Amino acid sequence: MGAIEKVAVIGAGVMGAGIAAHVSNAGVSVVLLDIVPDGAENRNVIAEGAVAKMLKADPAPFMQKSNARLITPGNTEDHLELLAECDWIIEAVIENPGIKQSLYRKIEEARKPGSIVSSNTSTIPLEVLTRDMPESFRRNFLITHFFNPPRYMRLMEIVTGNETGAETASRIRDFCDRSLGKGLVDCKDTPGFIANRIGTYWLQCAVVEAMDGGVTIEEADSVMGRPVGIPKTGVFGLLDLVGLDLMPHVLKSLESALPPEDDFHAIYREPELIEKMIADGYTGRKGKGGFYRLNTSGGKRDKEAIDLTTGEYYSATRPKLRSVKASRKDGLRGLVDHPDKGGRYAWRVLSRTLSYAASLVPEIADDIVAVDTAMRLGYNWKFGPFELIDKLGASWFARQLKKDGMAVPHMLEMAEERSFYRTQSGRRQYLSVTGAYKDMPRADGVELLSDIKLRAKPLAKNISASLWDVGDGVLCLEFHSKMNSLNPLVLAMIRKAIRIVPKNHKALVIYNEGSNFSVGANIGLVIVPAYLRAWFIIRWLVAFGQQTYKQLKFAPFPVVGAPSGMALGGGCEVLLHCDAVQAHGETYTGLVEAGVGIIPGWGGCKEMLQRCTASPKVMNGPMPPVIKVFETVGVATVAKSAHEAKSHLFFRPDDDITMNRDRLLADAKLKALKLAGGYKPPEPVELSLPGESGRIALEMAVNTFRKQGKATPHDVVVTGVLAEAISGGATDITETVTEDGLLKLELDRFMKLIRTPATLARIKHMLKTGKPLRN
């Protein structure tokens, strides 16, 4: 099977450009083409402008800005010959079958034999796109539907035709899975495929039911958000995010494509309010506002919501619905069964949406797993439709539908008293369309801790961390405290792992399947002892963490950190003490302690000094590594990807990156086993540091920033203490500082900062708001 080494994307709009950027994130060269605008002096202006815009965008489409160099901008009049160099050509132009087919004929003339062509269409069936195209084209054609933004949304819907070659589909699946990190879902060739077919129905239903039921948008979003396992944007916040002007196009496309008997037509309408909002420029966050807007008149920032009846804006409120409160105790059924208007709204929307989804299997997909996966990965639902039905109870849901005079889909009737998912003999199974249970599918090379948990018990466990045997002589240390924050129980489990691994095992992987690897130390632990002035407790906690991480670093077996999501503060320090890191591409890491008025205390400064001293990217001598650490730690630098983490030296040059999160554990385990052969712990390192002269130089630089208004008074205090910790204290360049000496400097300077009222105020503010205080 030939590797995909070069890709072309035709269509440099938001979606096409984003696809090109994400292909470059995989280290693959991309040709990005678009039309030549009338009268343009620069014939490549659209593609070049798209790349320039992406370099400034936040969130960033590029995992590192240097990836932009892998994109070659061009145009479809002068540069189609470049397609002959490409293994995969992605069409991402306007949703018009005629325009697409005209482009396909040009592609067919320019592409090399065996190259693959795919469309990013979100609504047009493959049969329509390939009609009257030659057999050679149809054999190498499929639909690859990315979701926006391509870097961050994992879903990839794949549609193949009867004539699509098996090798064509296999090459694309392998590349999109391993290189782009996509969660692949095979869809039937039907309008809207899976996610947009159900997602559009859900959004339209939620809007219509709110308008008809007198539900405010804040009430609707409070119900259709976290209580249902949907992002807190809910419905109206999500529409503001994606753009109100997009919905009419999607709705009209589905309305024209779906058969008359489809239940979509029962909820389809174009509310006059939304038409007026779009005409007046209220298209969401990209416009003047949307269902919500920010009113900054009078120097204030007032969040306003629109009245769905009058179209007038008012100050948004935080609804207090008893149904939402009930959901916290009694779950989803407690929400939909509640008699208040929030409960009635939840039932009206979910009864229609979930029964609609159930009615579409096997029309749009071969199984319920594809439907649930598509909604989780494409719309960020925590649970897919069938998983939500299980939470309600399939038989209860069917009875309630009958009670309301609604049709009961065949899949629900077939389930009867059974659930759609179950665990049997340590394996998760799903109810197939035949009525029999089947094992959940897993791609080759995918290993999930959640699967291991179904068939095994932990070797050790407390309320914050567990130790699992993941096979082949490798143990896995899992954090599972709130947000995977670090506390003495986590540290105790690290120490227990260090004792257990050498007895019968080869290596340790630190990994979990939470949203974040670790948000760092639980800083709330220092508040009570600080107010009691029990400084010895805080000093013990910091010293305990230091010595635990030191034991981890010098353990007689290899330790591999496998982060995904945030790895901040103490979470970053864990990784700095590992022998190696196998990181998910979407890892966001950094030593962020300065943001809350403290400095890293668990060896982070020490490890960064050692890395900067050894790095060929940092100049030789005692001062350059100190300056680099000061710049990185002093401004709480966070790497926005695993690639960036390497450039900041949070990760080593030989640390590896896994693009697909589902493959992270298997890759980390393999890396640990490779290190285990003939493993020897690292030798302690001593450093030559500038001492007092270095500290003074750093403080002078900070004072300059203070005079320029770029640093607050407490910033000066924090960075001054940081300068003391990393410059070596009372040493000078004729002496060396040991690892223990650096740890003591960190500990003493940490304790110096934690005693200041300003630091305690920052910590309290962070705990209360989740945001750093600037003072």
Side-chain angles (χ1 to χ4, degrees):
M1 187 168 64
I4 291 176
E5 297 177 345
K6 191 167 187 176
V7 173
V9 179
I10 303 180
V14 172
M15 198 68 192
I19 293 170
H22 194 49
V23 171
S24 78
N25 290 334
V28 174
S29 297
V30 192
V31 174
L32 179 62
L33 306 180
D34 210 305
I35 62 171
V36 179
D38 291 340
E41 293 183 11
N42 178 2
R43 295 173 65 81
N44 303 333
V45 64
I46 294 179
E48 289 180 4
V51 175
K53 188 174 181 179
M54 289 192 295
L55 285 169
K56 300 175 183 177
D58 186 21
F62 294 110
M63 286 184 168
Q64 53 184 351
K65 290 188 176 183
S66 60
N67 289 346
R69 294 198 293 265
L70 292 170
I71 298 179
T72 301
N75 68 75
T76 52
E77 293 183 19
D78 303 328
H79 302 117
L80 281 180
E81 73 275 4
L82 295 177
L83 301 185
E85 305 170 4
C86 299
D87 304 298
W88 179 19
I89 302 161
I90 304 168
E91 168 267 302
V93 302
I94 189 170
E95 290 286 83
N96 181 305
I99 292 174
K100 289 178 185 286
Q101 282 211 329
S102 175
L103 175 61
Y104 295 162
R105 292 186 182 93
K106 295 176 182 178
I107 292 173
E108 180 68 359
E109 292 179 4
R111 74 185 182 99
K112 65 182 178 181
S115 62
I116 299 169
V117 182
S118 74
S119 175
N120 184 55
T121 181
S122 59
T123 55
I124 304 172
L126 182 146
E127 186 274 331
V128 173
L129 294 175
T130 57
R131 191 175 295 156
D132 299 328
M133 294 300 295
E135 185 273 339
S136 61
F137 183 88
R138 298 195 301 272
R139 186 173 62 249
N140 295 130
F141 184 85
L142 70 164
I143 290 172
T144 52
H145 181 211
F146 290 80
F147 277 66
N148 195 34
R151 171 183 166 183
Y152 300 98
M153 299 302 290
R154 284 193 62 204
L155 179 60
M156 161 79 75
E157 291 182 320
I158 292 183
V159 182
T160 57
N162 294 330
E163 297 179 73
T164 305
E167 183 178 348
T168 294
S170 181
R171 287 175 69 192
I172 291 298
R173 285 193 177 97
D174 186 72
F175 181 79
C176 292
D177 171 353
R178 296 175 185 274
S179 298
L180 300 185
K182 293 301 177 184
L184 307 180
V185 173
D186 288 309
C187 309
K188 300 287 187 68
D189 191 19
T190 57
F193 313 129
I194 298 176
N196 280 345
R197 177 82 172 269
I198 297 170
T200 303
Y201 182 96
W202 163 65
L203 288 169
Q204 178 70 0
C205 183
V207 170
V208 168
E209 292 291 355
M211 288 180 166
D212 292 348
V215 177
T216 69
I217 67 171
E218 305 103 297
E219 290 170 337
D221 286 346
S222 71
V223 170
M224 276 296 128
R226 286 174 173 166
V228 185
I230 288 169
K232 64 181 181 180
T233 52
V235 173
F236 293 96
L238 176 60
L239 288 170
D240 278 354
L241 182 64
V242 300
L244 272 66
D245 52 336
L246 177 65
M247 282 300 292
H249 298 292
V250 177
L251 289 169
K252 286 177 182 175
S253 176
L254 287 176
E255 194 270 338
S256 62
L258 292 173
E261 65 274 12
D262 194 276
D263 191 49
F264 174 82
H265 298 290
I267 62 167
Y268 174 71
R269 70 182 194 227
E270 299 176 43
E272 291 183 10
L273 172 63
I274 295 178
E275 290 181 345
K276 184 177 186 304
M277 290 172 69
I278 295 171
D280 292 343
Y282 286 91
T283 55
R285 295 189 186 182
K286 64 184 179 183
K288 300 176 183 178
F291 292 107
Y292 296 98
R293 74 177 184 184
L294 196 62
N295 188 339
T296 57
S297 61
K300 296 181 179 179
R301 293 169 61 85
D302 183 21
K303 183 179 180 181
E304 296 182 334
I306 199 166
D307 187 307
L308 294 176
T309 303
T310 67
E312 300 295 324
Y313 283 95
Y314 60 90
S315 292
T317 59
R318 180 169 292 184
K320 294 182 179 179
L321 295 168
R322 291 185 177 181
S323 53
V324 173
K325 186 176 181 180
S327 71
R328 299 184 192 120
K329 179 183 178 183
D330 301 321
L332 190 60
R333 194 185 293 188
L335 176 71
V336 301
D337 220 11
H338 199 280
D340 77 354
K341 71 174 180 177
R344 296 194 302 272
Y345 174 70
W347 171 251
R348 288 196 301 269
V349 175
L350 289 179
S351 61
R352 301 188 75 164
T353 301
L354 299 183
S355 61
Y356 183 66
S359 73
L360 295 176
V361 177
E363 177 193 341
I364 63 173
D366 287 330
D367 53 55
I368 66 172
V369 177
V371 171
D372 283 346
T373 302
M375 294 311 296
R376 287 198 311 272
L377 300 185
Y379 276 75
N380 280 333
W381 287 16
K382 188 174 182 180
F383 309 103
F386 292 94
E387 292 169 313
L388 287 172
I389 293 174
D390 273 354
K391 288 187 173 297
L392 293 171
S395 59
W396 180 89
F397 185 55
R399 288 194 301 271
Q400 294 302 114
L401 291 177
K402 287 180 181 177
K403 183 179 176 182
D404 284 4
M406 298 175 67
V408 178
H410 173 68
M411 284 296 294
L412 265 178
E413 290 181 331
M414 186 175 62
E416 296 179 328
E417 298 295 322
R418 297 179 294 172
S419 60
F420 283 105
Y421 294 93
R422 73 175 187 181
T423 299
Q424 187 79 5
S425 303
R427 294 186 180 278
R428 196 170 187 227
Q429 298 181 325
Y430 69 95
L431 190 66
S432 71
V433 294
T434 66
Y437 283 102
K438 293 184 178 181
D439 288 344
M440 290 281 287
R442 294 285 183 251
D444 289 341
V446 169
E447 194 168 342
L448 299 178
L449 188 57
S450 57
D451 287 344
I452 293 170
K453 290 179 179 182
L454 295 176
R455 56 180 184 266
K457 293 183 178 180
L459 299 181
K461 183 178 182 178
N462 61 41
I463 62 173
S464 295
S466 299
L467 192 62
W468 300 88
D469 188 335
V470 293
D472 299 315
V474 179
L475 297 189
C476 174
L477 175 62
E478 176 199 22
F479 307 150
H480 46 71
S481 56
K482 184 177 181 181
M483 298 184 73
N484 293 329
S485 60
L486 305 174
N487 57 45
L489 289 174
V490 174
L491 299 176
M493 188 57 66
I494 294 175
R495 291 190 173 210
K496 181 169 281 191
I498 293 168
R499 295 194 299 271
I500 291 176
V501 173
K503 294 179 180 178
N504 297 297
H505 300 86
K506 303 173 185 176
L508 177 69
V509 169
I510 304 178
Y511 163 89
N512 64 71
E513 289 169 1
S515 299
N516 297 300
F517 177 76
S518 173
V519 296
N522 182 352
I523 57 174
L525 294 174
V526 306
I527 286 294
V528 173
Y531 277 114
L532 294 174
R533 304 185 69 81
W535 307 117
F536 70 95
I537 295 177
I538 299 175
R539 189 175 185 89
W540 172 86
L541 178 61
V542 177
F544 188 64
Q546 284 187 345
Q547 294 307 310
T548 300
Y549 284 13
K550 180 182 175 183
Q551 289 178 30
L552 190 71
K553 178 178 179 178
F554 295 109
F557 53 83
V559 179
V560 175
S564 179
M566 289 190 288
L568 304 176
C572 179
E573 288 176 300
V574 169
L575 300 174
L576 288 169
H577 286 81
C578 292
D579 293 286
V581 169
Q582 182 77 41
H584 180 222
E586 296 299 343
T587 297
Y588 318 115
T589 190
L591 297 171
V592 297
E593 288 84 352
V596 290
I598 55 178
I599 64 170
W602 285 348
C605 295
K606 164 184 66 75
E607 290 299 311
M608 287 299 292
L609 279 171
Q610 291 180 5
R611 293 198 178 185
C612 290
T613 299
S615 174
K617 295 182 179 180
V618 180
M619 293 177 62
N620 294 328
M623 197 62 190
V626 172
I627 293 173
K628 174 65 175 175
V629 175
F630 188 76
E631 291 173 343
T632 302
V633 178
V635 296
T637 299
V638 174
K640 299 294 182 65
S641 70
H643 295 84
E644 274 195 10
K646 287 191 173 189
S647 65
H648 290 303
L649 302 183
F650 296 131
F651 296 165
R652 302 175 184 85
D654 55 351
D655 286 335
D656 291 318
I657 296 171
T658 298
M659 292 295 279
N660 192 323
R661 198 187 196 285
D662 291 345
R663 297 184 176 278
L664 183 57
L665 177 57
D667 289 350
K669 179 178 163 183
L670 181 62
K671 192 172 188 71
L673 288 171
K674 287 180 179 178
L675 292 172
Y679 176 77
K680 292 182 180 180
E683 294 292 331
V685 175
E686 295 186 3
L687 298 178
S688 295
L689 297 172
E692 189 71 6
S693 61
R695 178 188 65 78
I696 293 171
L698 295 175
E699 289 183 350
M700 288 175 63
V702 173
N703 284 324
T704 299
F705 285 128
R706 169 61 181 153
K707 292 176 182 177
Q708 294 172 347
K710 297 178 180 179
T712 69
H714 196 58
D715 288 337
V716 176
V717 174
V718 174
T719 52
V721 172
L722 175 63
E724 294 174 15
I726 64 177
S727 60
T731 189
D732 61 48
I733 58 174
T734 65
E735 303 171 334
T736 58
V737 184
T738 65
E739 296 211 11
D740 285 340
L742 286 171
L743 287 176
K744 187 175 186 305
L745 276 170
E746 278 189 35
L747 175 58
D748 290 343
R749 298 320 184 264
F750 183 96
M751 293 305 302
K752 179 179 179 180
L753 271 177
I754 203 67
R755 292 170 181 260
T756 64
T759 289
L760 292 177
R762 283 192 176 194
I763 292 173
K764 281 188 67 178
H765 182 82
M766 173 66 81
L767 290 171
K768 184 178 181 180
T769 67
K771 299 177 181 178
L773 175 67
R774 303 304 299 168
N775 57 13

